[in-house]
Amino acid sequence: MNGSMLDWPLTLDRILVHAERWHPDQAVVGAAPDGTMARRTYAECADRARRLSAALVAHGIEPGDRVATLGWNTLPHFEAWYAIMGIGAVCHTLNLRMDAAQLAWIARDAGDRLLLVDPALLPVAEAMRALCPAIEGIIVLGAGTDALIAAHDPARWGGFGEDQPAGLCYTSGTTGDPKGVLYTHRSNFLHTLAIIQPDLFGIGAADSVLPIVPMFHANAWGIAFAAPAVGAKLVLPGARLDGASVHRLIAGEGVTMSAAVPTVWQGLLDHLDRVGGGLAPLRRVVIGGSACPPSMQRRLTDHYGIEVRHAWGMTELSPLGTVAAPSAASAALSPEEGGRLLQSQGRPPLGVDLKVVSDDPDAGPDTPGRLFARGYATVGRYFGRDTPATDAEGWFETGDVAVIDRHGFLHITDRDKDVVKSGGEWISSQGLEAIAAEHPAVAHCAVIAADCDRWGERPLLVVQLREGEDCSDASLLEPFDGTVPRWWVPDGIVRVDAMPLGATGKIDKRALRDAYRDHLRAS
Ligand code: AMP
């Protein structure tokens, strides 16, 4: 027997319709290519998105068809998302840091029919289309979509089931070919309800929310759904994500909450070091995508009064897996112990389940092991693949190495492939990075496994110093003194002018390994 409640599919069009009905005058602002701010309301965005939907339908786009976007976080991109998803088509967010050949491979794999692109990215879009003739047309976000919006009456949204696909996002492909994760309306809708909760991102109608994390990086971690869902002001930063631009946006648009990877926050902190000033009215930031060094967390909290929420997740989890937020348990601990919990990756919300499996049957609970996840917003099967992405019990192996402590907080110690395996023992590269980042002269750092004849691998510290700073190797190694066992201390240090960044703005450890794998042998 089924229950007898209304049949009300959890489809994403309802999110913008809700904002249009209950928060019609709330602002959605976006940085335009010329640096000015474009301003609209949720009511205007919803009307425009429906008209763009009609243009897509007129082109012949049908439910389930893939329509790609290649763009920064902008107003036209936001409207395009809802225009595509509202008619049951799939919004495939392409990663603009990839080159034309990589993009064409992904667009072919996805079977994209149309491509909506930022004006500044038109050259790469055209080079990509030359390699992917199945793409029927390119529409420029802004001028192109404005013309279509002006020429069409609003389309009707919805009328399809919540298990229909809504979005497609490819993993960055650090191992093997990129793989597509096909989100459903239901999985993204429920993910939205999860992240707005107080212990997660904690977003409300009085907030002004700045998603710096790109819309192509796992749906801007869900924020372009969450802000309209609660009627918060949405501030879309466009292409300029340097410290000065982010600082200006925070003050100018009254930003109270924001989310980005650590390298972005480092850029903002460096900028503040140079020019002074504060971060008001910013209250809370979500930092994830790679480990947030405790030193960064302390600077934001102690100097600027910002509440840092350290989050862990991945494209395959839609992306949220865990968030570190205060609890009765953390408050009851000593400040030091409680602080360690808040520096960890935190706990999962309802709907995410985690387990750590050790290959060593004698391993204690504090021994890092392979991390598995499952839940309503976890990938079941990659796009176009026949086999499940999970094991027989529905657990997805994340590729991360972690410990879950007795309070239920997750501590990621490494990405599987980044662990330094020294003489059969594991050394946590992320643990060492957190320590190296304590040195005041260090702007960015990474620890990689360098090949070593005697021990197999040894840790090598790669650092980018702050502008104008210089210091000896001995000084850079000082923070390790007494903090970790002697055999964990990096065997060498490489200084770089600029860290290589991957497609989602994280430090590209694979590039560093390729460049410096033989460094300890050579020296
Ligand atoms: P992506 O799918 O590109 O977002 O990458 C997901 C991967 O980023 C995860 O599997 C982790 O290896 C890493 N990651 C994300 N958040 C964190 C975090 N807070 N700490 C450490 N690693 C993280």
Side-chain angles (χ1 to χ4, degrees):
M1 183 173 75
N2 289 334
S4 49
M5 303 307 281
L6 264 186
D7 184 18
W8 202 84
L10 306 179
T11 58
L12 296 167
D13 51 299
R14 295 187 191 273
I15 291 182
L16 196 53
V17 169
H18 176 82
E20 174 187 36
R21 172 119 166 76
W22 299 104
H23 307 275
D25 301 326
Q26 179 61 286
V28 189
V29 304
D34 63 2
T36 59
M37 295 304 286
R39 292 178 188 281
R40 292 203 250 283
T41 63
Y42 279 123
E44 287 166 342
C45 287
D47 178 65
R48 289 168 55 86
R50 276 199 204 85
R51 291 171 190 272
L52 186 55
S53 291
L56 297 175
V57 172
H59 180 88
I61 296 296
E62 295 190 353
D65 284 349
R66 271 78 67 204
V67 177
T69 63
L70 182 66
W72 298 99
N73 295 5
T74 62
L75 263 173
H77 195 179
F78 175 75
E79 290 166 353
W81 261 30
Y82 284 92
I84 298 166
M85 297 183 202
I87 53 169
V90 176
C91 180
H92 174 200
T93 44
L94 287 163
N95 185 332
L96 52 78
R97 296 209 176 83
M98 293 184 169
D99 63 27
Q102 290 169 314
L103 290 170
W105 187 95
I106 289 178
R108 276 196 303 270
D109 192 66
D112 293 332
R113 285 189 60 189
L114 283 178
L115 172 61
L116 281 68
V117 62
D118 260 9
L121 301 167
L122 203 48
V124 68
E126 273 163 358
M128 163 192 171
R129 191 180 172 202
L131 301 170
C132 189
I135 294 179
E136 294 157 26
I138 294 181
I139 301 167
V140 176
L141 288 162
T145 46
D146 284 353
L148 291 172
I149 288 165
H152 288 83
D153 289 332
R156 277 177 67 87
W157 279 350
F160 44 84
E162 63 185 27
D163 290 324
Q164 292 298 301
L168 179 61
C169 186
Y170 277 69
T171 60
S172 29
T174 41
T175 49
D177 286 332
K179 295 187 283 283
V181 180
L182 188 63
Y183 306 112
T184 62
H185 281 266
R186 173 191 156 83
S187 66
N188 277 345
F189 197 107
L190 291 174
H191 184 269
T192 305
L193 295 181
I195 64 171
I196 60 181
Q197 294 175 72
D199 281 350
L200 285 94
F201 293 5
I203 303 176
D207 276 310
S208 169
V209 181
L210 170 69
I212 302 174
V213 52
M215 288 162 73
F216 59 77
H217 186 191
N219 297 322
W221 298 349
I223 293 175
F225 299 124
V230 299
K233 176 177 175 183
L234 181 61
V235 182
L236 298 161
R240 295 185 197 162
L241 306 179
D242 58 283
S245 304
V246 170
H247 192 200
R248 234 187 341 266
L249 271 184
I250 291 171
E253 298 300 335
V255 171
T256 56
M257 186 273 170
S258 182
V261 293
T263 43
V264 167
W265 299 116
Q266 189 60 51
L268 178 61
L269 288 170
D270 288 349
H271 169 75
L272 292 173
D273 281 351
R274 278 194 300 274
V275 304
L279 284 173
L282 189 65
R283 284 188 293 109
R284 173 179 304 149
V285 297
V286 175
I287 305 185
S290 53
C292 171
S295 51
M296 175 180 286
Q297 208 159 329
R298 280 201 307 274
R299 278 179 80 197
L300 282 163
T301 306
D302 300 347
H303 287 266
Y304 299 103
I306 307 291
E307 184 188 4
V308 173
R309 292 271 165 99
H310 189 197
W312 166 85
M314 56 197 312
T315 305
E316 287 91 335
L317 266 66
S318 299
L320 192 90
T322 57
V323 179
S327 66
S330 71
L333 296 170
S334 69
E336 200 184 321
E337 268 186 291
R340 256 202 303 279
L341 291 190
L342 296 184
Q343 287 162 3
S344 78
Q345 279 76 7
R347 286 180 301 182
L350 174 68
V352 176
D353 197 9
L354 299 174
K355 71 171 178 182
V356 168
V357 175
S358 173
D359 296 329
D360 173 3
D362 302 325
D366 292 338
T367 311
R370 293 180 290 133
L371 177 65
F372 291 74
R374 65 181 179 186
Y376 61 74
T378 301
V379 67
R381 191 165 44 84
Y382 287 108
F383 179 74
R385 310 284 167 112
D386 300 327
T387 48
T390 60
D391 65 17
E393 288 167 10
W395 287 100
F396 170 75
E397 178 156 12
T398 63
D400 287 329
V401 179
V403 173
I404 296 174
D405 71 19
R406 66 194 169 87
H407 303 286
F409 282 68
L410 177 75
H411 302 254
I412 301 278
T413 60
D414 247 315
R415 189 89 191 129
D416 204 8
K417 58 188 183 312
D418 294 337
V419 178
V420 184
K421 293 173 184 133
S422 173
E425 298 290 339
W426 285 12
I427 300 175
S428 157
S429 71
Q430 291 188 16
L432 297 185
E433 285 156 8
I435 296 167
E438 296 286 334
H439 195 290
V442 170
H444 300 286
C445 62
V447 170
I448 58 164
D451 291 341
C452 161
D453 292 332
R454 181 157 182 218
W455 301 107
E457 291 175 354
R458 290 293 301 153
L460 177 70
L461 174 62
V462 185
V463 292
Q464 177 188 331
L465 296 181
R466 279 182 212 287
E467 237 176 82
E469 293 278 355
D470 195 15
C471 62
S472 65
D473 282 5
S475 159
L476 286 170
L477 292 178
E478 243 167 56
F480 294 96
D481 242 2
T483 324
V484 288
R486 282 213 60 76
W487 61 276
W488 277 45
V489 179
D491 276 6
I493 297 176
V494 171
R495 293 143 193 271
V496 294
D497 293 334
M499 280 288 178
L501 297 184
T504 46
K506 310 181 195 182
I507 293 175
D508 186 349
K509 285 206 185 178
R510 186 166 64 160
L512 290 175
R513 261 200 311 275
D514 288 348
Y516 300 112
R517 174 175 284 133
D518 292 328
H519 184 82
L520 294 176
R521 281 187 166 145
S523 57

